[in-house]
Amino acid sequence: MMTHSEFFDLARQTAGNSNCSSRQVGAVIASHGVVLAEGFNGVSSGFSNCIVAGCERCAMGGATGIGYDNCICIHAEQRAVATAAANGTAVSGSFLYITLRPCLQCLLLVYAAGIRQVRYIEDWRYPDNREQSYRTLAARFDLFEHFHKAAVAAERF
């Protein structure tokens, strides 16, 4: 059975598939120690990267938490949930391991999908009033906190 640390390692590896020019993010959905789906951010594999595909947000620098409505990259969480859905895999009650704290829209998606716990490595905050809305939604999960690899190395399901 895999540890939380191993799922984070897998999320980091999955991030390596990203073709986003701004930031590489990886996500893993797991339940009872089994990987259900993986996802990474970026655009269609028909493009070498998101700037070539025409992403204005990433071309301008793409600060975390700002301008996602102008971004053409699919987020790692979105791709993981979509992959699970395409394969007919239920994710209700599962865990999401991700290399970066999800944006508000992704948090809404994983909540609607029934994902019970969200664990992430890198933290960030919205610079405006969306942070309060984010925290209100995050409180609905069983566990939503910033994890460091060292803190979960021995933890098992």
Side-chain angles (χ1 to χ4, degrees):
M1 190 132 54
M2 292 178 71
T3 66
H4 296 296
S5 182
E6 289 169 325
F7 284 119
F8 281 128
D9 288 344
L10 182 56
R12 284 186 197 100
Q13 290 171 7
T14 302
N17 295 323
S18 171
N19 64 0
C20 179
S21 297
S22 180
R23 177 186 301 261
Q24 288 70 49
V25 179
V28 173
I29 301 173
S31 181
H32 302 294
V34 176
V35 174
L36 302 178
E38 299 172 30
F40 54 89
N41 65 325
V43 292
S44 165
S45 61
F47 297 98
S48 59
N49 63 54
C50 56
I51 294 175
V52 170
C55 185
E56 292 179 25
R57 178 186 177 274
C58 291
M60 300 296 285
T64 304
I66 300 172
Y68 288 135
D69 51 337
N70 296 322
C71 185
I72 64 171
C73 293
I74 186 171
H75 291 192
E77 311 91 304
Q78 293 168 333
R79 189 180 306 268
V81 170
T83 297
N87 292 331
T89 304
V91 297
S92 183
S94 64
F95 287 34
L96 172 67
Y97 297 87
I98 188 160
T99 58
L100 181 68
R101 185 180 100 151
C103 71
L104 181 57
Q105 290 304 309
C106 286
L107 191 60
L108 289 164
L109 173 69
V110 300
Y111 183 75
I115 292 173
R116 183 173 62 102
Q117 294 190 19
V118 177
R119 297 177 180 216
Y120 57 92
I121 299 169
E122 189 178 341
D123 202 10
W124 62 276
R125 297 285 182 260
Y126 280 106
D128 55 26
N129 62 354
R130 287 177 291 176
E131 188 62 31
Q132 183 56 44
S133 297
Y134 190 95
R135 293 201 167 277
T136 299
L137 178 58
R140 295 190 173 272
F141 288 89
D142 287 350
L143 175 67
F144 195 87
E145 60 185 59
H146 185 183
F147 270 73
H148 295 278
K149 182 177 178 182
V152 295
E155 201 173 336
R156 294 198 177 271
F157 272 85

